[in-house]
Amino acid sequence: QKEVEQNSGPLSVPEGAIASLNCTYSDRGSQSFFWYRQYSGKSPELIMSIYSNGDKEDGRFTAQLNKASQYVSLLIRDSQPSDSATYLCAVIMGQNFVFGPGTRLSVLP
Amino acid sequence: GAGVSQSPRYKVAKRGQDVALRCDPISGHVSLFWYQQALGQGPEFLTYFQNEAQLDKSGLPSDRFFAERPEGSVSTLKIQRTQQEDSAVYLCASSFFPGSFPYEQYFGPGTRLTVT
């Protein structure tokens, strides 16, 4: 069974704090990982992709990948109320693009 | 350039009706994907095209679901004899990279289907 798991939340953080979103996946052979942001009633929007172990930074976002632990995370620094959304982790397993259920993030002003 | 577009944005169908959902991918994108997203869930894969070839349809939930992309650009997802459990948002995504490795996908706005 190809699975991607995320804590559904909601995860609440105060404005300016670091939000940490976690994702685990079942296929040890997976090589490509993505984070999408989805506002309520909107379609998913690509934030980050990561393919190698370690950290990848883009502005306030940092993706972290640990293939040995089958774990990928997304850190959002200096969280803003506009970051409040559902964050979807996606993993390519075989030839399929498998999404997790998403973590709902709420940034409190 | 324009992003992925989908039409209609909203569709209400009576149980038993047939529906057709359209996706217009980003120009030049080889790969096209259809997903079904239920409320509060992540998108679930339905089917994948590379140009006009349907390479994977393992996610289609029943033989009432049919997808095509005859000229390798616009795609249509057809649902025959709709049932209430078909109510969901249907998302289309496209990707530039050819081959079976999809890499980054870009999503359209989705079609919200409600079956009454």
Side-chain angles (χ1 to χ4, degrees):
Chain A
Q1 177 104 7
K2 297 176 180 176
E3 290 186 346
V4 177
E5 296 186 350
Q6 298 180 253
N7 189 326
S8 62
L11 172 66
S12 295
V13 300
E15 185 175 356
I18 295 175
S20 177
L21 305 161
N22 304 316
C23 171
T24 58
Y25 57 95
S26 61
D27 184 358
R28 184 170 291 277
S30 296
Q31 299 293 323
S32 303
F33 309 86
F34 307 87
W35 283 99
Y36 283 82
R37 176 176 62 198
Q38 187 172 28
Y39 292 113
S40 181
K42 303 294 186 183
S43 60
E45 172 193 9
L46 180 66
I47 299 175
M48 298 274 289
S49 59
I50 185 166
Y51 306 104
S52 303
N53 278 330
D55 294 1
K56 179 181 178 182
E57 187 175 317
D58 184 359
R60 295 186 297 112
F61 299 98
T62 299
Q64 299 175 317
L65 174 61
N66 184 328
K67 292 182 184 177
S69 300
Q70 296 174 236
Y71 175 93
V72 58
S73 65
L74 180 70
L75 301 178
I76 307 175
R77 288 182 300 281
D78 188 23
S79 296
Q80 301 297 309
S82 59
D83 295 327
S84 297
T86 295
Y87 288 81
L88 298 164
C89 173
V91 180
I92 294 180
M93 296 187 180
Q95 296 188 22
N96 285 348
F97 212 83
V98 182
F99 282 85
T103 297
R104 191 154 54 94
L105 173 67
S106 179
V107 180
L108 307 174
Chain B
V4 179
S5 61
Q6 292 185 246
S7 61
R9 292 293 312 279
Y10 303 91
K11 177 70 178 177
V12 179
K14 290 196 166 127
R15 190 162 59 95
Q17 279 185 332
D18 297 349
V19 298
L21 313 180
R22 176 189 168 107
C23 172
D24 205 333
I26 294 171
S27 177
H29 277 198
V30 171
S31 300
L32 184 147
F33 305 81
W34 283 99
Y35 294 89
Q36 181 189 62
Q37 187 174 26
L39 191 64
Q41 300 295 316
E44 295 276 346
F45 170 81
L46 293 177
T47 187
Y48 159 56
F49 290 86
Q50 181 181 331
N51 295 309
E52 68 278 5
Q54 189 174 20
L55 297 187
D56 188 343
K57 55 181 181 179
S58 62
L60 296 176
S62 78
D63 59 7
R64 296 186 295 104
F65 286 71
F66 172 76
E68 60 183 5
R69 193 185 185 197
E71 297 179 359
S73 178
V74 171
S75 177
T76 303
L77 176 67
K78 297 179 180 177
I79 309 173
Q80 297 177 324
R81 305 181 303 282
T82 52
Q83 303 295 315
Q84 284 194 315
E85 62 263 28
D86 300 335
S87 296
V89 174
Y90 290 85
L91 292 166
C92 175
S94 70
S95 172
F96 173 74
F97 295 94
S100 62
F101 211 66
Y103 293 106
E104 292 98 344
Q105 299 184 0
Y106 298 90
F107 283 85
T111 295
R112 182 177 296 278
L113 172 65
T114 303
V115 182
T116 61

